Amino acid sequence: MPVGWPGLSRRWVPAVVLSMVLAMASSGFAGNGGRGGPSQDAALDHRSLEISVLEVAILDSINVQRRSHGLEPLLWDATLADIARRTGQDLIRRRRLDHIDLEGRGPSDRIARQHRRLIGLVGENLAAFSGHWPESPQALAAELVSGWMGSPGHRRNILRVDYNYSGVGLVMRGRELRCVQLFAAVEAFLTTALPPSLKVGSRWPLSFVEGIGRRPEGVSLQPLGNPRRQERRQSPDFVEPADFRVEVTPGAYRLRFYFRESERRFSVIDGPQLEVERLAAAPP
C-alpha cells in the first residue's frame, strides 16, 4: 500500500521481486562502470532533473549502504539500465507498479529476451513517486533508497552478497515517476551476443569474457514451460559450449548453463530465450 513520508507532499510506493534464477546473454555488455543515457520518450516531462544523474545517484546511494555492511559495490551495466527504463516506461504509461506485465512476463523473462550476454541470477526493485519531491538528485536518491532499506524484500536485494552488477531506470511523466532497479549476480558474460533465433542444425560456438565470473562446462536447451530454478544434478546431459549446436525441434527454448561445484555435481542456471526455427524448404 502507499507509504506517506512526513513533511513531503508526495506518496512513495515500493515493490520488490526477490532473486530468481536466470542465465542470460547481453547485447550491450558495459564492462566495469559503463553509464547508460536517459530514457528517450518525447511524451515524458523530465523537468529540471537530469534523469541520468539521478539514476547514477541511486546506484551510488545503494553502494553506500552495501559498503556500510561490508559488501562490494555494484557495478553499472548499461544494458540492464536500458531494460529498466523500458520497464519504467511501460509502468508509467499504464499507471501500474507490478513486476509482472500485462503479457504475463516478469523481470527474468524480460532480461532473458533483451540481455543477450549475461549469465547469472537476477532481482528487481520498483518504486513510484507522485506529487513534489526534492530537486536534488542526491536528496531524492537518498530518500528512495532509505525507503527501500526499510522494506525487508527491497533490503534483501540491496544487501544480497552475490549481486555484483546493476542497472537503474528512471522515467517521469509530469509529476509521476517510476524507478526500476535490476540486480544481477553475474556468473559469466558471453563474448558474442546470442541471436534471438537460430535455425535447426545451426552451430553457434559459445565463449566467455575472461576475468569475469567463472566458465560453465556445459550448455543444453530446455523447452519453455518447465520450472525455472537453480538446481544440482548428477551426470547432466550437456555439450561443451564451444560445440553448441541446435539439434532440437522448432520452438521456444532456454539455454541452461552447467557450472561445476565438485567432481560429480553441477549448479544449473537457466539461460536466455532462444527461438529455434525450421530450415527453409529446398527449392523444387
Side-chain angles (χ1 to χ4, degrees):
M1 61 184 295
V3 178
W5 290 89
L8 295 172
S9 145
R10 69 174 184 279
R11 60 187 178 89
W12 179 86
V13 185
V16 63
V17 63
L18 299 182
S19 307
M20 294 165 289
V21 176
L22 182 65
M24 291 88 52
S26 158
S27 59
F29 171 58
N32 295 351
R35 300 299 188 192
S39 306
Q40 300 298 314
D41 188 332
L44 300 181
D45 174 15
H46 296 298
R47 304 164 63 216
S48 60
L49 191 63
E50 179 60 40
I51 293 294
S52 61
V53 173
L54 178 53
E55 291 171 344
V56 173
I58 290 170
L59 184 62
D60 288 344
S61 187
I62 291 287
N63 282 335
V64 168
Q65 294 291 338
R66 288 180 64 87
R67 288 189 182 99
S68 72
H69 287 80
L71 302 176
E72 290 294 318
L74 300 173
L75 301 174
W76 182 273
D77 182 82
T79 305
L80 284 176
D82 288 341
I83 297 168
R85 293 183 196 109
R86 285 191 285 270
T87 299
Q89 289 169 357
D90 182 70
L91 291 173
I92 207 164
R93 288 188 181 114
R94 300 177 189 268
R95 299 184 66 84
R96 302 178 73 244
L97 190 70
D98 198 323
H99 297 289
I100 307 301
D101 64 24
L102 296 182
E103 287 71 41
R105 293 188 293 261
S108 62
D109 304 303
R110 292 188 288 271
I111 294 173
R113 293 164 66 93
Q114 299 175 56
H115 203 318
R116 309 295 299 173
R117 282 182 176 162
L118 189 155
I119 302 169
L121 311 182
V122 301
E124 179 182 76
N125 282 354
L126 303 177
F129 281 91
S130 64
H132 300 273
W133 48 80
E135 291 292 338
S136 162
Q138 290 73 24
L140 179 54
E143 292 211 22
L144 189 152
V145 173
S146 176
W148 275 343
M149 288 296 291
S151 165
H154 297 85
R155 182 185 178 92
R156 281 193 294 271
N157 271 347
I158 291 170
L159 300 181
R160 178 161 174 157
V161 66
D162 55 346
Y163 283 153
N164 50 10
Y165 282 82
S166 182
V168 180
L170 269 292
V171 179
M172 279 188 192
R173 185 189 294 272
R175 292 291 180 178
E176 294 286 326
L177 180 147
R178 297 294 184 273
C179 174
V180 180
Q181 181 171 17
L182 295 173
F183 302 85
V186 174
E187 294 285 351
F189 279 108
L190 287 171
T191 305
T192 303
L194 184 75
S197 63
L198 289 171
K199 294 186 182 299
V200 173
S202 298
R203 183 173 181 270
W204 191 271
L206 301 173
S207 61
F208 307 92
V209 176
E210 294 291 336
I212 297 178
R214 52 183 179 155
R215 184 186 184 279
E217 294 196 12
V219 62
S220 66
L221 285 170
Q222 181 74 21
L224 281 182
N226 285 2
R228 294 165 301 183
R229 64 187 183 278
Q230 188 176 23
E231 62 182 32
R232 299 177 186 273
R233 48 159 45 178
Q234 295 184 3
S235 302
D237 181 16
F238 60 67
V239 298
E240 286 286 334
D243 297 327
F244 178 63
R245 184 185 296 272
V246 179
E247 296 179 328
V248 293
T249 58
Y253 292 82
R254 284 184 184 270
L255 271 69
R256 313 188 80 189
F257 290 89
Y258 296 78
F259 294 86
R260 183 175 294 279
E261 301 295 346
S262 67
E263 184 178 352
R264 299 185 61 191
R265 301 186 72 84
F266 296 83
S267 291
V268 184
I269 302 181
D270 286 352
Q273 182 172 331
L274 177 68
E275 193 70 26
V276 176
E277 300 177 344
R278 296 181 183 277
L279 287 171

